[in-house]
Amino acid sequence: MTIQRETGSQGEWIACGYLSSKGYSVIDRNFSRPFGEIDIVCISPDKTLVFFEIKTVRFSGRVMAEFTPEDHLTPSKLFRLRKICSFYAAAHPRLVLDSRGWRIDLLALTLSEKDCLVSHYPNIAWR
């Protein structure tokens, strides 16, 4: 496993714990099709279907990562993410409440040797 994949996997595990602590129910992970992948699928505390994109960077010592996790969400990635989330929502209509719909959130994680900074950006993409 590459360092990037290991960091990403660790970030997803941390994200699941963070989301559970905030009242989200994780219902799916790493949902993949040839046209995209969803990192984490949840039901929010208000029963909204939420798709999470997880971006994680690591830094050690005094050297900061060259880019923030947010920098890694490119327009092309967001386009593919919208497409796969639309597909998932259409395939699971019972999870989409008419009054709530669904949304895409970004969790940006910065890992250090001692802790993890989590930034949550709700509703990053409109359908």
Side-chain angles (χ1 to χ4, degrees), residues 4 53-58 65-78 80 106-110:
Q4 286 92 352
E53 177 66 13
I54 311 302
K55 293 296 182 188
T56 309
V57 296
R58 177 186 304 276
E66 185 176 346
F67 297 100
T68 67
E70 295 88 344
D71 292 331
H72 293 276
L73 184 62
T74 63
S76 63
K77 173 62 180 171
L78 192 53
R80 287 190 311 275
L106 169 65
L107 276 187
L109 288 77
T110 303

Side-chain angles (χ1 to χ4, degrees), residues 40-59:
I40 301 174
V41 181
C42 291
I43 300 296
S44 73
D46 72 358
K47 307 299 183 217
T48 302
L49 178 63
V50 184
F51 302 101
F52 281 92
E53 177 66 13
I54 311 302
K55 293 296 182 188
T56 309
V57 296
R58 177 186 304 276
F59 75 92

